[in-house]
Amino acid sequence: MRAVAVLLLLVACDGGILTRVEGNTDGGKRDAATPRDAATPRDAATPRDAAAPPDTSVPPPRDSGPGEPDAALPDDCAGGPLPEPMPGCRPTPVPNTGDPYADCVARINQFRAECQCLPPLQRWTEAESCADMQAEYDGNGGGPHGGFRSGVCSPRGNAQNECPRWPSVDQVIEGCLQQMWDEGPGEPFSEHGHYINMSSTRYSRVACGFYTTPDGRLWAVQNFQ
């Protein structure tokens, strides 16, 4: 059974643990890359026992087109997507299948469907190796969204969320993604960007990536396209 990590919201001059960013075509909360003309927010979240690396975020692009895949929604979603997420929505984490990439996408889609009746995102398998490279780059000194901003690989996506220095994949999928969704809609983007990326209807697919540093800390990114 996965243990859920408690997250602390940190505000510091040089950032924090969870980040979101947007490139010329993407955005995210505590793990994302920023567009050329976007400011870098300074908020981040970290697991209770983790140090806080720099964290940034940027709003999602405004020119991305819709393209959600067909998929069944819960029976109580007959009325279509909700304008806002259900308050206090904390769905039971998806089962651990042994494939963290699939579980990560399934968890994101779980929040979208069960908490706001949104259609699912497709698993972007062809972009997972790049997501892994970005996570490795960031964990080895690049910092949150460093690989995304530097364009270390492609396809990188249009927006990114990131969970830096987490204890395990299970805690990222159960705890970090819940923390991101809990930000909910609102302004400024620096406080709600992770949720905005996760719930956006501008994106049709998502690729997750993971890298564990020599000291055992996990860096995890989610790239939206």
Side-chain angles (χ1 to χ4, degrees), residues 59-220:
R62 291 182 169 80
D63 57 353
S64 299
E68 298 81 4
D70 294 332
L73 291 173
D75 292 339
D76 56 356
C77 289
L82 302 176
E84 292 190 353
M86 301 175 191
C89 186
R90 302 183 67 84
T92 301
V94 296
N96 184 339
T97 67
D99 182 345
Y101 301 90
D103 292 349
C104 175
V105 175
R107 181 66 163 159
I108 292 170
N109 283 333
Q110 181 183 40
F111 286 118
R112 289 173 62 92
E114 296 185 23
C115 298
Q116 201 168 345
C117 295
L118 295 167
L121 301 176
Q122 295 175 340
R123 178 180 172 182
W124 190 14
T125 54
E126 61 265 39
E128 289 173 354
S129 60
C130 179
D132 284 342
M133 291 177 64
Q134 292 172 340
E136 180 176 3
Y137 182 93
D138 295 355
N140 286 329
H145 312 300
F148 184 96
R149 293 193 183 95
S150 298
V152 297
C153 59
S154 64
R156 71 169 190 171
N158 297 331
Q160 183 183 76
N161 285 353
E162 185 165 12
C163 305
R165 295 179 58 84
W166 275 71
S168 69
V169 170
D170 284 353
Q171 291 183 357
V172 162
I173 293 174
E174 295 187 11
C176 181
L177 297 183
Q178 178 74 63
Q179 161 84 31
M180 291 179 174
W181 184 267
D182 286 347
E183 290 174 3
E187 295 289 344
F189 184 84
S190 61
E191 296 179 6
H192 303 274
H194 289 123
Y195 160 81
I196 292 171
N197 284 344
M198 291 175 72
S199 64
S200 177
T201 57
R202 292 187 175 94
Y203 308 127
S204 61
R205 52 189 180 173
V206 59
C208 297
F210 305 91
Y211 173 73
T212 301
T213 62
D215 65 355
R217 290 299 180 179
L218 180 73
W219 288 66

Side-chain angles (χ1 to χ4, degrees), residues 1-12:
M1 180 179 227
R2 297 181 175 124
V4 178
V6 176
L7 302 177
L8 300 178
L9 178 62
L10 305 180
V11 178

